[in-house]
Structure formats: structure tokens, C-alpha cells
Amino acid sequence: MAADSALLLSLVEEYVSGLQDSKAKDTATVDKDCHVFSCCSLSLTSSQPHTRARGVQLLSEVLHECHGNLTEGEVEVLLAFYENRLKDHYVITPPVLQGLRALVSVYVCYLCFSANIRNLFVFFQSLMLSERACVYNMLINLMESREAELKGLGADFVFGFVQSMDGERDPRNLLLAFQVANNIIHRGYDLGKFAEELFEVTSCYFPIDFSPPPNDPHGITKEELIQTLRDVLTGTPKFAEFLLPLIIEKLDSDVLSAKLDSLQTLTACVSRYEHKDLAEFLEGLWASLRREVFQTSSEKIEAAGLAALTAITSCLSRSVLTSDSEDSLCTFLELVLKDCKHHLCEPDLKLVWPSAKLLQAACSASNRASHIITAAVMPSLLEQYNSRTECSHRRTLLEVVQRFIQSVKGKESVFVAFRPSLCSMVFSALTESNSSLQITATSVLTSLAQQTGLLLDSDVELAVDHLTRLLLMEEEERVRSVSTLCRSLAELHPAAFITKLIPRLKKEIVSSEQKSHHAVRQRCLSALAAVSTQPSVVQESTPVLMEVLSSAHAGSVAFSIEEVVLACRSLQRVAEQVKDTEETGRCFHDIIIPRLLSLALQAALQGDTSSGHRSPLLQESVLSAMVSVISTSCSRLQPMLAEQTALKVVSLFLSGDVSFLPDNSFPSNIQLLKVSGDSWSQSQMVCLLMGCVCSLPRSVEVPQMDQLLSELEEMSCSCSHQLSYTSAAKCFAGLVNKRPQGDDLDSLIQRTMKRVCNELDSASSSVCIQAFTLMIWVAKALLLRYHPLSTALTDKLFSLLDDADLGPMAADGFSLLMSDSADILSRGCHADVRIMYRQRFFSENSAKLVQGFNAAPQEKKPNYLKALSNIVNNLPNKESTLLSLMLEALSCPDQDVQLSTLSCLEPVLADPPPALIRQLEALVNRLLNLTSSPAMNVRITSLRCIHAVSSFPEHEVLPFRARVLRALARPLDDNKRLVRRGAVQARGEWFLLGSPGGR
């Protein structure tokens, strides 16, 4: 015990003498029972202020460190001591506040602060920045833990805080002070007669114009200060009589940020106010808002002004009227209508839109406001439309009406009285010859359709007649807007489209007209897809699309390949957008998919007919479009229907089971996966199998999986037809990607790898291309799911870069590995795709690529450069670790490699790594050489890169200025305008380097 006391005394002496500041922690470690108080007695009573300050500082730091078990009496003594020390020399104040903060945070339950808080406020103005922050933090802690006692001080606490905060300038302390003020307002502290004083001491900072210094270590932002101050100013209606005049004053500022802050603060405050708080200031507020919207040059100011008007109107709408009270809402809206309504009668003047926006903002605030404004405005707008003859004026009036309809969305009763006139106006515009007027009318009709009760069934039918007529016109812009309206209307009124639009479109599609009818057919096919969003419409539209495929196959109607492809794409679009219900699932499972397979099989078995007609369904583009239909459909099937579809389709391809196909007149010995002679028309149907089984959810079990994989492997390695063996390889890979992990999968992959490698290593193999195709797709399937055996396949791909025949193909294979696949191995097809697989592949294999490049003979190096370009070009974040190889790739004679490498480099140049700047000589030389490339795209991209290099550090690029300016003289005379433009932009930036007014 005596030893501890001696040690404690020595530590105290060392600290007080200023020799060891770290001894405070050692003192706290030794002094478990807080005996340091008695040991500090000499320093605390010293006649030297700095010695007393060191003693108090040690005492405060020990309180922070040890958190000893002080009794209530000891705490009271310490509090009295610290309170007394506040009157001591100013150098003692900081450690006193530090000790008080320790007492507040640890022993707050023992303390009584009535007198002590007042003392803190007395000394506050003389404190330094960090000491004031300490007091603010103490107040925040006390407001959390001793709220009742602080509220017991009444308005004295508010007055003391106002005195303390007055004149605060440091942003860090302001943030804390605003937090204290916010607590005072929102937690029900008694403001007494000091509400105006509290407002004045905080509002003097409004609007905030603080801009943090660069690399500010404190992290104080302007937005944080703005929001905290706004919470204070808008926190209580007691501030209304002070805040609203201040906002009106600040809106006269020429500073846009001040205007924006004022408008946003106005929007925030009126949500807490009542109409009586606003009544006195309505005219001034309206005058300011009107000016900001009428005269603003900033969209943000305009939007904030409109939001503020909506908030004010909403506040006034909440007023409760009595027999003798004034209707503040009507009074305010009279002001708005008086200043804005007459401008709506001048559609050729610039104030029509600001006026319309103001009226619409007020209209959207409440049901009462919308009734008042529409009753005053709509008759005038309708009359103006009927009296005007110029299409531009009528279009403007239509757009204004549409904005009003959209502003009161959900308040259908507002426009019911004007329904006949609105419908008459819209249908009249639809019959006009002016295309822009018709397009605007379709938009207004869409808005009317979205409001309940504004279109009767007869109106909808008349609208469909007009839309059908417009669809068959030749102007593409009108057709796009009409298709959008058709989709919106069909969702709300499907019956009219089933009975009127679809039969008319069907008639137009099967019309026998020739070339002039091609565009109309395309629009009709697209329109069928656009309206097919409801199951009832899908039941009627899909048979029309299927009839196009049937007629094209039979040759009964002359459809072009493009039209057949568009019919398939329309079917795919229907499958994508229709609501996912059992009804639509049944439609695709029972009708669409079997019918597509049946038509494709008929075409495959039929081949060329004796009449010379060849089914367009044999074309690769049509088959690919059919794959997309089947893939999209199967990916959205419910689990039970998906299992049934898988069973039927696999049975068809493995066993020749055609029982589920319509028009079942097929032979019984069909073997679609068996390769025989000249049977490409049948073997290519494997792409439809791929579209089905590779798009099913992973939870759906594909039947006869082992046999199916075996047949697909055999076809992919032995078939000579490119679409057939490629589709078989992709189907095999898609199934492998989804197959559960285990020994069965590993043995399958190893067996496939062995066969593929044997074919690739055999110099006499006739199917090495097929084997390579299978290998690259399986490698991608395994890479996506992080399977361990993917490394063996990618290593084989790296080794093929040195192959004389397969080297270029192997380099292109890296693009397939790294890019997204649309038809299989995508998340849309439920493939197993892990995050950041590209980055993982790059990090694991970049070293192999560098080593292979360094070891390869000169004639094989382009393969490595192209592989690198394909890898880096598909990375979301371009890597800079292979810059030397990328620079080497710029010298490769292959133009595809050059363009791909330039595309990789361009984003890197925006934020160049140090390694690139160190190789600036080589970079500039290669880029300048490429500005003379025979390929226009290479010239343009190299000029963009030269342009980007000009933003490098000036001292690095200035030595190249003269050389670059000379080299860019040639592309200034290029015969391609895009090249000349790029050269002008790049040369301008380089010319300004180092010159007055330049960078």
C-alpha cells in the first residue's frame, strides 16, 4: 500500500512538472480508488496558475480514464470544486470543462445543475473554440439524460443558451449549437418571452454560405449545416412571424443558392404552420414566388418555387371554416388566378407556361384547390381551343390541359363536369392533319384514360377507332406515340381492343398488298405486342402472331424474312411484359411453345418443296428469334408448367415423341439429335431445345439429363453444321452451369475435357473447330459459377494462343468468356452467375498472359495482345497493371486489336496511373501513328486519346506540345468530317498548353 502511494506521488509530480503527459494513464492505472485527489492537493493550491492548471488537468484526465466508484458526496465536492475553478485564471478553464464533461457523462445521476448551468453560460463567451465545443457537448448529454431538470429551469435555460450562442462562428460549434436549439424547440422546452431572441440568434446564419476547405478533416458539409439550421427555423409556428418576412427578404437576393435555400425552407415550414400563421404574409409570399417562376433562369429555382406554392396551398386547405371566418384559401387562390389566368389566353406568348405551372402547382395541393382552379380555368381553355385556328396554339392549349389533368391525378370528380368537352377536344385534334397536334392529343387521351370516369365505353371505342387509323398511317413518330397510348388504354380497357383493334390489325397483316404494305405490317405487328399486357388480350393477339408464322411457312401469304422475325420478336415482347399469371403461363405452355416447335419441325422435315418454296423458318435469323420466344417464355413459367414443358421437349428430342405437337402428322422415327448426312435442317432444331431447357429455373429438374448431355456432346463434336454444333455446345454448357455440384458433375467435365483435348491435340482431327467451340462454352459455364475445374479449360485456352491455326480463334474466345450472353448463361435465364467473375478471372490469369506473351515468338504475340484487349475491354473497371502490354498492342497491325486497345485505354487516360505517365513517350508516339490509320474508327479513337492526354500534369506533357501540334496538322485535312472534328478538338487543347489563359 505504501509502495503504491509512493508510486502515485511520483507519477503526479512528473505530470504536474510537465515532464510526462502520458503519466495520466499510468496514474489512473495505479489509482483504482481515485486517491489522486489528495495527492494533487499541493498543485491544486499552488500560487502558480500553470501549476494549478496541470493539477486540474491531471484530475480531469483521471476522471475520464478510471471511472471509479465515487460516492454522491464526493461528486458534489468535485462539482463545487470545478464550479469554483471556473472563476480562476483563464488557463485553468479548459481542464475544468474537461472534468465537468467527465462528471456529466459518468456521474450525471448524482448531479444537480440548476446553478452550475447558469455559471457555464456566464463564462461561455470568454471560452476558446474547443472549450465551447466541450460545453455544447455537455448540454447535448444533459438534454438526453436530465431533460426534466433542464426544463425546470424554464425560460432561463433558453436565455442562457441564446447568450452563449450569440456570435458563434466556427462551423463545428455551429453544428452542435443548432443541435441544442433543435432539441429546445422539438422537445417542448419553455421558450417564454425569448422566442424571438432564439430565432434571431439562429436566423442570422440563414442562408448558410459555408464552403468547406479541401480535404477538411472534420467532415462538416454545407448541406449538413443547411439541414440542421432548417430544422431549427421550421420547428415551431412561434417563429412564423419572424421567419416568413426573412424568407421574403432573402428571395430578393441575387445568389441562386440563397434563393434555393429560402424556397426549400419555406416549403418545410408551412407544413408545420396553420393558415392563421400565413394570413398576414400571403401577398408578399405570392409576389416572391410569382417573380421566381416568371423570371427564373434556373430549373432548380423554378421547381423549388412550385413546390413552395403547393405547400402553401396545402396548408391553407387544411383550415377549418366557420361562419364568421375568412376563407384564406379562396383569398390566396384569387391572387394566383388574377395574375396567371389571363396569360393562358395568350398561347403564343412566353408567360403561358410559367402561369400554367403555377396554377397546376396550386391545383395539385388539395381537392378544394383543384375544384376552385379548374372551375375558373377549364372553361377558358376549352373556349380558347375552339376559337383558335393555328395548330401551334391549339397544341400549346392541349399540353396545358394535359398538365392540369395530370396535376389532379386521383381526384376524378374534378373533371367530370368537363368530360364531354374534353373528349370532343381530343377527338377533334386526332382528326387534324398536323402530326404534332395528333401526337399531343394522344398524350392527353392517355392522361384522360388514367383518370377514372373520364372516358365512357363509347369514348374508348371511338378512341380505338382513331388509334387504329393513326397506326396505319406512314409517319413513324406518330406511330410511336400511338403505340404508347394503345398500351396504356389496353391495360385499362382490354375489351375494346379485343373487339376492334386486333381484328383490324389482323386484316391488315394478311393483306395481299406487296412492297408498299411492308411498313404497315411492321407497325401492326409491333402494335399487337404493345397492347398485349392483359391476359385476355394475349389470348387474342398471340394467335394472330402465330398465324403470321404459319402463313409464312406455308407460303399462303408472302411475308418477308424481316416480317417473320418481327412477328417472333413481338411474341417475345408479349412474353416479357404480360402479367405473370397461370392463365398466361398456360397460353405459352399449351399453345405457343408447342406450335412453334411444330412449325419448326414441319419446316425441317419439309426442306425444299417441289414448288421451289423454302420455308423461312429454316433461316438462322428466324430460328434465333424463335429461340428468344421460347427462352423468355420458359424462364417465366410456373414450376409445375416448367417441369411439364421440360418433359415434353426433352422427349421430343431424345425419343421423337410428337404427341403433344399440334398438326401431328410427323413420322414416328424422328431423331433430332442424331447426326446423319445432309440433315442440317433437323439438327439445327437443337437451338430450340437450348432455348427451352437452358432457361428453366434451377429448381426445375430436367428429365433424362445424362442421356441428354451425352447426345449433346456427341452432336457438338461430330456435326459439321455450324448453327447445329454451336447450339449443341451452348445447350450442353447451359445444363452444366446449373447442374448441382458433386462427383457426377466433376466426372462429366473431366470426360468432356479429355475428349476435347484429344481432338484439339490431334493434327489430323477434322472436328477441332467443333471441339474448340464446346470447350469455350463449357469454360464459360464453369467460370460463371466459380467451379474449380474451369482453370484447366482456361489454361488450355491460353495454350492455344500459340497454335498456328487456332491461335486467332482462341484470342477471340476470351471475348466470349468475358462478355454477357443473351440467350443462355445469363441471370435472366436463371444461370448460376457469381458476382465479379470477370475481375476474379483477370486477377488469376493476368500473370499467365504476361508470361505467355514474353515467351511467345514474334509471330504469335498478336494473339496475346488481342486476348488481352478482349479481357480488359470487358472489365467494368479498366485495370492498369498491364499497361506495357496494352501499349505494345497499339503497335499490332491488326486493326481490331488497335481499336479494342484504344477503347480500353481511353477511360484509363481520364485518371492516369503513375505507371502510364512514366511511359508517356511510348504512348504519345503510338497514338500519333494511329491518327494515320486506314480505319476511320481507329483514327477517331486515337484522336480522342490524344485529347485526353492533354489533361495530364502540364509539366509532363508540355515537352510533347510541338510534336503533337505538327502531327495533328494532317488529320485536320482528313476526308472524314468526324476525324476532322476530333483533330480540331484535340489540337485546340494542346495549343492552349502553357499559354496565358490556358490550363
Side-chain angles (χ1 to χ4, degrees):
M1 190 68 179
D4 287 344
S5 298
L7 177 59
L8 187 59
L9 281 171
S10 66
L11 291 173
V12 169
E13 288 177 4
E14 287 186 38
Y15 184 90
V16 172
S17 63
L19 296 177
Q20 291 288 342
D21 283 353
S22 62
K23 295 301 179 181
K25 289 187 177 182
D26 298 336
T27 305
T29 304
V30 174
D31 184 26
K32 299 297 184 182
D33 299 318
C34 297
H35 293 143
V36 71
F37 309 141
S38 58
C39 297
C40 289
S41 57
L42 290 177
S43 59
L44 295 177
T45 57
S46 171
S47 60
Q48 297 298 317
H50 288 283
T51 304
R52 295 200 302 276
R54 293 291 289 179
V56 174
Q57 185 174 350
L58 175 61
L59 186 60
S60 299
E61 290 191 16
V62 170
L63 276 177
H64 270 289
E65 294 291 338
C66 71
H67 305 304
N69 296 320
L70 297 179
T71 65
E72 183 174 353
E74 291 171 334
V75 171
E76 290 176 356
V77 169
L78 281 171
L79 184 61
F81 168 76
Y82 278 122
E83 180 184 349
N84 186 267
R85 290 304 91 195
L86 284 172
K87 305 171 186 177
D88 203 339
H89 196 275
Y90 70 90
V91 300
I92 302 177
T93 303
V96 168
L97 292 174
Q98 185 182 357
L100 283 173
R101 188 176 179 186
L103 289 176
V104 167
S105 60
V106 182
Y107 304 106
V108 68
C109 59
Y110 294 158
L111 303 181
C112 179
F113 287 98
S114 300
N116 303 293
I117 290 297
R118 293 188 180 94
N119 289 332
L120 279 177
F121 290 148
V122 168
F123 293 105
F124 193 91
Q125 291 291 337
S126 63
L127 300 179
M128 302 296 286
L129 185 151
S130 59
E131 298 156 15
R132 297 198 305 274
C134 185
V135 175
Y136 284 132
N137 280 307
M138 278 199 297
L139 290 177
I140 292 171
N141 287 337
L142 290 172
M143 295 178 94
E144 294 292 335
S145 55
R146 300 296 291 271
E147 185 175 280
E149 190 171 335
L150 291 180
K151 287 182 177 179
L153 296 175
D156 289 348
F157 176 72
V158 177
F159 179 67
F161 171 71
V162 169
Q163 285 184 310
S164 305
M165 184 182 171
D166 191 15
E168 183 62 70
R169 299 183 62 183
D170 186 79
R172 291 165 288 176
N173 285 348
L174 278 177
L175 202 58
L176 297 172
F178 291 157
Q179 189 175 343
V180 175
N182 196 27
N183 289 342
I184 290 174
I185 292 170
H186 289 90
R187 296 187 179 184
Y189 284 77
D190 180 19
L191 301 183
K193 59 183 178 181
F194 301 114
E196 183 175 2
E197 284 74 10
L198 180 59
F199 175 80
E200 291 296 337
V201 80
T202 52
S203 64
C204 65
Y205 302 100
F206 178 81
I208 297 289
D209 60 356
F210 167 72
S211 296
N215 302 319
D216 179 19
H218 306 290
I220 304 295
T221 64
K222 180 178 180 179
E223 291 72 23
E224 195 174 11
L225 285 169
I226 288 174
Q227 188 58 53
T228 313
L229 176 58
R230 186 177 297 157
D231 290 341
V232 174
L233 297 179
T234 63
T236 173
K238 294 180 181 180
F239 287 169
E241 60 180 308
F242 317 118
L243 177 61
L244 295 177
L246 177 64
I247 288 176
I248 294 173
E249 176 190 341
K250 296 300 182 183
L251 284 174
D252 290 332
S253 170
D254 294 330
V255 182
L256 290 182
S257 61
K259 286 179 180 286
L260 184 61
D261 193 2
S262 300
L263 290 169
Q264 291 173 343
T265 301
L266 176 60
T267 303
C269 73
V270 295
S271 64
R272 300 176 182 271
Y273 293 174
E274 297 180 7
H275 68 98
K276 60 185 180 181
D277 301 316
L278 300 176
E280 182 183 349
F281 308 99
L282 287 177
E283 289 190 19
L285 289 170
W286 164 243
S288 297
L289 293 175
R290 179 190 59 202
R291 181 185 67 247
E292 294 309 321
V293 176
F294 275 4
Q295 301 177 8
T296 187
S297 58
S298 167
E299 292 184 2
K300 287 184 177 180
I301 299 295
E302 181 186 65
L306 296 174
L309 177 59
T310 302
I312 292 174
T313 309
S314 178
C315 175
L316 298 176
S317 301
R318 296 194 294 268
S319 61
V320 179
L321 298 179
T322 60
S323 57
D324 58 345
S325 65
E326 181 184 4
D327 190 348
S328 301
L329 177 64
C330 287
T331 303
F332 181 68
L333 292 181
E334 284 175 5
L335 292 173
V336 178
L337 288 166
K338 178 183 176 182
D339 290 336
C340 295
K341 180 181 175 182
H342 65 279
H343 291 303
L344 299 183
C345 300
E346 304 165 341
D348 55 335
L349 299 180
K350 66 178 183 179
L351 288 181
V352 62
W353 277 116
S355 300
K357 289 177 181 178
L358 286 166
L359 288 169
Q360 290 151 9
C363 195
S364 64
S366 69
N367 200 33
R368 280 186 63 204
S370 62
H371 274 283
I372 294 171
I373 293 177
T374 53
V377 169
M378 287 306 297
S380 174
L381 289 172
L382 294 169
E383 180 184 352
Q384 284 291 314
Y385 180 85
N386 293 325
S387 63
R388 297 278 178 172
T389 56
E390 293 187 31
C391 288
S392 60
H393 295 170
R394 302 184 88 180
R395 185 181 72 248
T396 300
L397 290 167
L398 274 174
E399 292 172 347
V400 171
V401 169
Q402 182 186 11
R403 294 284 188 89
F404 274 108
I405 296 172
Q406 292 172 339
S407 69
V408 294
K409 190 173 183 180
K411 307 176 181 67
E412 64 277 359
S413 60
V414 174
F415 287 101
V416 167
F418 306 102
R419 187 197 62 76
S421 300
L422 287 170
C423 291
S424 174
M425 177 179 67
V426 171
F427 293 142
S428 171
L430 288 173
T431 60
E432 296 284 349
S433 58
N434 185 275
S435 61
S436 62
L437 188 59
Q438 288 181 334
I439 291 171
T440 305
T442 59
S443 300
V444 179
L445 189 56
T446 303
S447 300
L448 288 174
Q450 292 170 347
Q451 296 275 358
T452 305
L454 292 187
L455 288 182
L456 303 179
D457 290 342
S458 58
D459 297 324
V460 174
E461 292 180 358
L462 182 57
V464 173
D465 289 337
H466 281 293
L467 296 176
T468 305
R469 176 179 56 82
L470 292 173
L471 274 173
L472 302 179
M473 298 176 70
E474 296 185 1
E475 294 190 20
E476 194 63 32
E477 186 178 2
R478 266 183 282 195
V479 171
R480 283 197 297 270
S481 63
V482 169
S483 296
T484 303
L485 174 56
C486 285
R487 176 169 181 168
S488 301
L489 274 177
E491 291 181 356
L492 302 170
H493 307 281
F497 286 84
I498 291 173
T499 57
K500 299 184 76 68
L501 179 69
I502 293 179
R504 179 65 188 277
L505 294 181
K506 178 180 179 181
K507 180 180 177 181
E508 292 294 331
I509 288 172
V510 300
S511 173
S512 59
E513 296 181 34
Q514 298 301 319
K515 294 183 179 178
S516 61
H517 200 65
H518 178 69
V520 175
R521 277 180 174 170
Q522 289 188 326
R523 291 200 293 271
C524 291
L525 291 171
S526 297
L528 279 175
V531 302
S532 300
T533 57
Q534 297 291 339
S536 58
V537 180
V538 171
Q539 298 286 346
E540 302 298 327
S541 63
T542 50
V544 178
L545 295 170
M546 291 304 303
E547 186 174 340
V548 172
L549 300 181
S550 300
S551 301
H553 165 65
S556 56
V557 180
F559 288 104
S560 67
I561 297 296
E562 292 78 9
E563 290 167 346
V564 178
V565 170
L566 183 57
C568 292
R569 289 177 179 167
S570 297
L571 277 171
Q572 181 195 6
R573 184 176 168 191
V574 172
E576 286 177 343
Q577 69 189 17
V578 70
K579 292 182 178 178
D580 191 10
T581 64
E582 185 176 355
E583 183 181 2
T584 56
R586 284 283 177 192
C587 175
F588 281 91
H589 170 267
D590 295 338
I591 301 173
I592 305 299
I593 295 176
R595 184 66 178 150
L596 287 174
L597 291 171
S598 176
L599 289 173
L601 185 56
Q602 289 176 29
L605 295 175
Q606 174 182 319
D608 293 331
T609 61
S610 57
S611 60
H613 171 70
R614 184 177 182 182
S615 173
L617 304 190
L618 293 175
Q619 296 292 327
E620 183 174 341
S621 59
V622 177
L623 276 174
S624 298
M626 293 173 71
V627 169
S628 299
V629 179
I630 294 176
S631 176
T632 305
S633 306
C634 290
S635 68
R636 302 191 65 193
L637 287 176
Q638 290 83 4
M640 184 184 69
L641 294 179
E643 291 177 359
Q644 295 175 7
T645 299
L647 178 61
K648 293 176 180 179
V649 173
V650 171
S651 298
L652 169 65
F653 279 86
L654 287 182
S655 309
D657 182 5
V658 295
S659 59
F660 72 100
L661 298 180
D663 303 330
N664 190 356
S665 58
F666 303 109
S668 58
N669 58 344
I670 298 176
Q671 293 183 329
L672 297 176
L673 296 182
K674 299 293 185 182
V675 181
S676 59
D678 191 24
S679 61
W680 63 267
S681 60
Q682 296 180 38
S683 64
Q684 70 178 1
M685 279 191 64
V686 72
C687 67
L688 303 181
L689 170 66
M690 174 196 72
C692 176
V693 297
C694 293
S695 302
L696 298 172
R698 275 179 273 172
S699 58
V700 175
E701 184 177 353
V702 178
Q704 305 181 65
M705 175 68 83
D706 292 335
Q707 182 184 353
L708 182 61
L709 288 170
S710 177
E711 296 282 359
L712 290 170
E713 180 185 336
E714 183 62 32
M715 172 178 279
S716 63
C717 288
S718 56
C719 182
S720 59
H721 185 244
Q722 183 178 4
L723 176 60
S724 301
Y725 71 70
T726 302
S727 299
K730 292 166 69 174
C731 188
F732 183 91
L735 294 174
V736 166
N737 174 265
K738 296 180 184 179
R739 191 159 192 185
Q741 195 86 1
D743 295 337
D744 291 342
L745 176 62
D746 292 346
S747 60
L748 170 69
I749 296 171
Q750 290 168 355
R751 185 179 68 248
T752 305
M753 286 171 53
K754 182 178 179 181
R755 178 172 184 175
V756 165
C757 292
N758 288 338
E759 295 291 350
L760 294 175
D761 294 339
S762 173
S764 60
S765 174
S766 60
V767 292
C768 61
I769 302 296
Q770 291 88 324
F772 177 84
T773 303
L774 177 60
M775 182 195 74
I776 195 69
W777 279 104
V778 174
K780 183 177 180 67
L782 299 179
L783 175 64
L784 292 178
R785 60 179 289 177
Y786 289 172
H787 194 282
L789 292 178
S790 64
T791 306
L793 289 171
T794 53
D795 286 346
K796 181 63 178 177
L797 186 61
F798 276 111
S799 69
L800 290 176
L801 291 172
D802 292 323
D803 189 277
D805 297 324
L806 295 176
M809 188 181 298
D812 290 332
F814 284 97
S815 176
L816 190 150
L817 281 183
M818 303 296 284
S819 60
D820 293 323
S821 177
D823 46 5
I824 62 163
L825 297 179
S826 65
R827 290 186 174 90
C829 296
H830 308 287
D832 187 356
V833 181
R834 306 298 177 88
I835 61 171
M836 299 183 72
Y837 72 90
R838 296 181 181 89
Q839 291 86 336
R840 175 172 175 169
F841 177 80
F842 178 83
S843 63
E844 291 178 351
N845 294 283
S846 56
K848 299 176 185 176
L849 196 60
V850 174
Q851 293 170 2
F853 174 81
N854 292 332
Q858 189 63 37
E859 64 273 13
K860 300 296 192 306
K861 288 185 183 294
N863 294 336
Y864 284 89
L865 295 175
K866 192 171 187 179
L868 167 69
S869 180
N870 288 330
I871 293 173
V872 178
N873 202 35
N874 285 284
L875 286 175
N877 297 315
K878 310 301 182 186
E879 299 287 346
S880 59
T881 54
L882 299 178
L883 287 174
S884 58
L885 275 184
M886 294 175 72
L887 292 177
E888 185 72 25
L890 293 178
S891 302
C892 179
D894 191 322
Q895 292 177 0
D896 291 337
V897 175
Q898 293 172 356
L899 183 59
S900 181
T901 306
L902 287 170
S903 301
C904 298
L905 269 177
E906 191 175 357
V908 176
L909 296 176
D911 185 18
L916 183 60
I917 295 177
R918 289 194 295 269
Q919 302 185 60
L920 198 54
E921 176 81 29
L923 174 65
V924 171
N925 287 339
R926 286 167 170 78
L927 290 177
L928 292 178
N929 290 336
L930 292 177
T931 60
S932 303
S933 170
M936 183 186 73
N937 287 338
V938 173
R939 299 200 300 276
I940 293 173
T941 312
S942 62
L943 286 169
R944 287 206 303 264
C945 291
I946 285 287
H947 188 173
V949 171
S950 68
S951 62
F952 281 23
E954 187 170 332
H955 67 280
E956 298 283 358
V957 295
L958 198 56
F960 300 95
R961 178 175 179 271
R963 188 195 314 175
V964 172
L965 291 177
R966 286 195 302 269
L968 291 181
R970 179 176 178 181
L972 287 175
D973 295 326
D974 198 279
N975 59 349
K976 296 294 185 180
R977 180 179 60 84
L978 294 177
V979 178
R980 295 196 301 273
R981 185 171 69 180
V984 168
Q985 293 172 346
R987 195 170 188 270
E989 288 297 322
W990 279 89
F991 186 81
L992 292 174
L993 278 177
S995 60
R999 262 198 320 111

